Amino acid sequence: MSDFIADYINDFLVNTRLSLRIENYNEFLFLVVLILGVLLCFFGFKLYRIFLSIIIFMSITIEICISLKWDFSGKAVCFVLLGCLASLIVFQFKKLDIYILSGIICAALTAVAMPSIIMIFIMWGIGFLIATIYPEYSLYVLTSIIGGLIIASIYHSVYLLIFLVVMGVAFQYFIDRQEVNR
C-alpha cells in the first residue's frame, strides 16, 4: 500500500516538475508517506475530507499536466485548487460522503484480500450499512485501518498493523469524546 501511495505522489511530483526542486527526493517521498499514514491513523476522523480534496486535486493536476503538457505553474492549478475547495465545502454539508467512503474502503480492502466482484459489492454494501448506523465509529475504524496499512506496509508487519489500528481507534475516540464533553 505504501508503494502505491509513493507511486501516486511520485507521479504528481514528476508530472508537475516539482521533483526537480526537491533535494533527497527518495527520503522526501518516504517521509511524506509515513506522515500521511500517521495522520490518517490517529486524526483521520477530522482530516478525511481534506485528504479527499487533496486526492482530487492531485489526480486532476496529474491528468492536466499529462494531457495538456502544462507546467505546475500553469492556470490549471488555480482552477483545480478552486474546484477542490468547492468539493471541500460540499463535503462539509453532506453526511453521504461518510457512507460512500466507508463502502469504498471496505470494497477496496476486499478487492485486495479476495478479488471477487460479488464479494466486493457485498462488502461495499456492508460498509455502507455500518456507516449509516454508526457513522462516527466507522470513520475511526476505517481511517485507522488505512493509516495503519500505509505504515505497516512500509515495515511489512502485521503486528504493527494491528497495534496501530487499535491505538488509532482508541486515540480518535478519546479525542472526539474530549471535544464533545467541552
Side-chain angles (χ1 to χ4, degrees):
M1 180 126 185
S2 63
D3 294 336
F4 173 74
I5 293 171
D7 287 344
Y8 184 74
I9 294 170
N10 183 46
D11 286 347
F12 176 75
L13 293 174
V14 167
N15 286 313
T16 58
R17 297 187 184 105
L18 288 173
S19 62
L20 302 175
R21 299 179 185 152
I22 299 171
E23 294 181 29
N24 301 327
Y25 182 66
N26 289 332
E27 294 173 10
F28 173 77
L29 251 142
F30 173 78
L31 186 64
V32 167
V33 170
L34 193 61
I35 289 171
L36 285 175
V38 169
L39 286 175
L40 272 171
C41 188
F42 294 103
F43 300 100
F45 74 104
K46 291 288 185 189
L47 302 175
Y48 78 95
R49 290 181 176 119
I50 293 170
F51 280 116
L52 289 175
S53 294
I54 290 171
I55 290 169
I56 292 168
F57 165 72
M58 289 174 65
S59 298
I60 295 172
T61 303
I62 289 169
E63 184 59 36
I64 287 174
C65 288
I66 289 173
S67 63
L68 299 178
K69 296 182 176 41
W70 282 1
D71 195 356
F72 185 73
S73 59
K75 297 176 189 176
V77 175
C78 296
F79 291 115
V80 171
L81 191 57
L82 288 174
C84 291
L85 289 175
S87 71
L88 186 62
I89 290 168
V90 168
F91 280 145
Q92 291 293 331
F93 295 110
K94 295 194 180 232
K95 274 275 202 210
L96 187 62
D97 61 333
I98 296 172
Y99 310 145
I100 293 172
L101 180 66
S102 297
I104 289 171
I105 291 172
C106 287
L109 293 176
T110 304
V112 170
M114 52 181 129
S116 164
I117 196 75
I118 295 169
M119 285 305 294
I120 290 172
F121 280 116
I122 290 171
M123 290 306 291
W124 183 86
I126 290 171
F128 189 89
L129 287 174
I130 290 172
T132 57
I133 298 168
Y134 304 107
E136 293 173 349
Y137 303 119
S138 66
L139 272 179
Y140 302 156
V141 173
L142 293 172
T143 57
S144 292
I145 288 173
I146 297 265
L149 274 172
I150 293 169
I151 296 168
S153 66
I154 291 172
Y155 297 106
H156 306 290
S157 173
V158 175
Y159 298 116
L160 181 62
L161 172 65
I162 294 167
F163 175 76
L164 286 171
V165 169
V166 169
M167 294 305 293
V169 170
F171 184 78
Q172 291 185 59
Y173 178 79
F174 177 74
I175 293 295
D176 197 31
R177 291 301 145 219
Q178 291 294 331
E179 289 180 4
V180 169
N181 291 336
R182 286 184 189 179

